[in-house]
Amino acid sequence: MDEQHSMAKLVRELRELTGLTQEKFAARLGVTFPTINRWENDRAKPSPLALEKIESLLCSLGDKGKALHKAYFGKEA
């Protein structure tokens, strides 16, 4: 994943796409608010399990999530 497509950017873009606050987004992914905050500020990276949940959430968004999924995971949702 290149600099342009950082995990921090993915997490923020996905959260904005869902229209959720950091708190609600954290609950949706089963993590804490500080975790989301660290991810968005590039102070930590999602675990492999969290990445699976992020990818699953992207896929569940249908057409809205397709472009992000392709950009960050390199394949169609």
Side-chain angles (χ1 to χ4, degrees):
M1 190 164 300
D2 61 33
E3 196 60 38
Q4 184 183 1
H5 293 117
S6 71
M7 274 296 125
K9 193 166 186 254
L10 167 62
V11 172
R12 181 173 286 114
E13 286 185 36
L14 177 56
R15 184 175 62 77
E16 288 171 356
L17 192 62
T18 61
L20 299 173
T21 62
Q22 285 186 338
E23 291 88 347
K24 289 188 170 145
F25 191 65
R28 179 92 179 253
L29 291 178
V31 299
T32 63
F33 160 71
T35 297
I36 295 294
N37 192 270
R38 283 193 302 271
W39 291 351
E40 284 195 12
N41 290 295
D42 213 13
R43 291 195 304 269
K45 301 267 186 270
S47 68
L49 179 60
L51 271 177
E52 283 180 27
K53 289 181 177 184
I54 288 168
E55 187 172 7
S56 176
L57 178 55
L58 268 175
C59 290
S60 76
L61 294 174
D63 286 344
K64 279 196 336 186
K66 270 186 185 168
L68 271 181
H69 191 277
K70 188 165 176 53
Y72 289 95
F73 292 94
K75 55 189 189 276
E76 294 291 334

